[in-house]
Amino acid sequence: MQEIHLKQQIPEHMAGERFDQVAAQLFSDYSRARLQSWIKSGELTINGETQKAKVKVMGGEWLEVSATLEGSDRWEAQDIALDVVYEDDEILVINKPAGLVVHPAAGHADGTLLNALLYHAPQLETVPRAGIVHRLDKDTTGLMVVAKTLLAHADLVDQLQTREMGREYEAVVQGVMTGGGRVDEPIGRHPVHRKKMGVVSSGKEAATNYSVAERFRCHTHVRLKLETGRTHQIRVHMTHINYPLIGDQLYGGRPRLPPAATEELIAFLQSFKRQALHARRLQLVHPLTGEDMEWEVELPEDMQQLLALLREDSDLFADMKV
């Protein structure tokens, strides 16, 4: 058995939303069905008082959970190496490698970042979703921040929702862009392919800014900045404007090969089996000190090698034209 004791203040911007909807956002660690049962049983309260699920909140109240979970509901702490970029008593910043799933789900019951975090900092068991406030896809690399306390968790979630947190990415896409731009298209579950997201009129607001870092014969190295944080946002938006990411097995389609490219480049492009996407820079306000903080990590080795081969290809054909 596991005793659950959680407390979180409702951000002001959630005023007017339903109790159960707010609970689902602040305690996203738990299913809506479980939260509903806790509301009905009085184990999930507002300012210590039992309320109906549909009651509207005012903002500023405190949600509190005092409940018991069976042992099977617990996540296992696992000794999985973490690349820690920064850590203090409130937050933890990591550089996530490709291949690491962030949160347990169907097909990935363990061996995830969450399991690693519980081993690294056992106190995270009392923080929603072990302190994870935003995700990177399994095969996306780069910076993530984790909240180590309830105070930090509430603050970082608020920074994400108010767009105070800055997240910048680098990617290599198929096709040659003429310049940068902005994609402002709603994203939701694909109407036919349920494992995919897509640009759909009924989706949630989503905006991605992009700029050109370097052009090659058939590809472009781009920098991207998110205004929102929807599932697969960069991958969906870049595919929507016909510049899918190299290696994207879900959205990318067949690799585009430069004509008369070397065997080495062709083999590398054909064997690049993850989306060429890296969360390079992270900026936020420290939840306790109020200090502006920023981190940046280099591209992983596979993306550096990809760019090097594309540069060699472009240089080779530029020399032939001279």
Side-chain angles (χ1 to χ4, degrees):
M1 305 288 283
Q2 179 191 15
E3 296 296 323
I4 300 293
H5 297 286
L6 302 173
K7 192 172 184 179
Q8 188 118 261
Q9 190 171 27
I10 301 173
E12 297 293 338
H13 65 81
M14 288 187 176
E17 295 189 32
R18 287 171 47 132
F19 176 20
D20 56 351
Q21 294 171 340
V22 170
Q25 294 178 66
L26 298 186
F27 300 131
S28 57
D29 199 2
Y30 303 97
S31 69
R32 288 177 181 267
R34 185 179 298 283
L35 292 170
Q36 288 279 3
S37 71
W38 284 345
I39 290 172
K40 290 179 182 178
S41 66
E43 294 172 292
L44 172 52
T45 60
I46 301 177
N47 288 338
E49 297 183 358
T50 301
Q51 298 284 358
K52 292 184 177 180
K54 64 182 180 181
V55 72
K56 300 292 181 66
V57 304
M58 299 177 64
E61 305 100 315
W62 287 90
L63 294 192
E64 189 167 3
V65 175
S66 182
T68 302
L69 288 181
E70 298 295 331
S72 60
D73 289 318
R74 299 185 65 176
W75 290 307
E76 179 185 357
Q78 294 178 306
D79 186 4
I80 301 169
L82 292 175
D83 181 0
V84 177
V85 176
Y86 174 85
E87 184 173 14
D88 61 26
D89 290 340
E90 298 291 326
I91 62 175
L92 170 68
V93 178
I94 66 156
N95 182 18
K96 189 188 88 65
L100 180 63
V101 174
V102 168
H103 191 277
H108 299 283
D110 57 13
T112 71
L113 173 61
L114 185 145
N115 301 107
L117 289 170
L118 290 175
Y119 184 90
H120 179 83
Q123 71 270 27
L124 288 172
E125 190 172 42
T126 63
V127 183
R129 208 178 289 276
I132 296 169
V133 295
H134 65 118
R135 299 191 188 192
L136 294 177
D137 296 333
K138 174 186 174 182
D139 289 324
T140 298
T141 58
L143 291 167
M144 289 183 62
V145 63
V146 175
K148 294 179 68 177
T149 66
L150 289 173
L151 181 150
H153 185 273
D155 188 271
L156 292 175
V157 167
D158 189 62
Q159 288 189 50
L160 279 166
Q161 292 174 341
T162 58
R163 304 180 184 179
E164 292 179 75
M165 187 181 295
R167 293 167 293 161
E168 295 183 13
Y169 295 73
E170 292 194 24
V172 187
V173 302
Q174 305 202 65
V176 183
M177 288 185 173
T178 56
R182 182 174 186 267
V183 185
D184 187 357
E185 297 286 353
I187 290 177
R189 185 67 58 184
H190 194 284
V192 178
H193 305 288
R194 303 306 295 171
K195 291 185 177 181
K196 299 174 68 172
M197 306 299 287
V199 169
V200 293
S201 59
S202 60
K204 294 181 179 180
E205 173 194 9
T208 305
N209 297 287
Y210 63 94
S211 61
V212 173
E214 194 172 2
R215 294 183 186 88
F216 308 106
R217 289 203 295 144
C218 289
H219 303 88
T220 310
H221 176 198
V222 296
R223 297 190 177 97
L224 308 107
K225 188 170 184 179
L226 295 179
E227 293 183 23
T228 53
R230 307 305 175 202
T231 301
H232 299 175
Q233 179 172 322
I234 289 173
R235 300 164 64 189
V236 170
H237 272 171
M238 290 299 99
T239 298
H240 180 69
I241 61 172
N242 297 316
Y243 293 102
L245 274 59
I246 285 180
D248 193 330
Q249 301 301 296
L250 192 58
Y251 302 100
R254 296 177 61 184
R256 301 178 193 173
L257 306 175
T262 65
E263 290 184 6
E264 182 182 14
L265 176 56
I266 292 172
F268 197 83
L269 287 170
Q270 291 177 334
S271 65
F272 204 98
K273 297 300 183 183
R274 76 169 185 94
Q275 60 270 10
L277 180 62
H278 176 68
R280 179 153 191 165
R281 180 177 171 272
L282 175 69
Q283 174 272 322
L284 54 83
V285 177
H286 193 279
L288 188 63
T289 67
E291 176 187 359
D292 288 324
M293 305 189 78
E294 182 179 319
W295 300 270
E296 189 168 331
V297 290
E298 289 188 351
L299 291 171
E301 185 176 343
D302 61 349
M303 286 184 65
Q304 291 190 41
Q305 187 176 354
L306 172 63
L307 289 170
L309 287 171
L310 291 173
R311 287 189 194 106
E312 288 178 8
D313 176 77
S314 290
D315 291 344
L316 175 63
F317 281 84
D319 292 340
M320 288 181 177
K321 291 179 181 179
V322 175

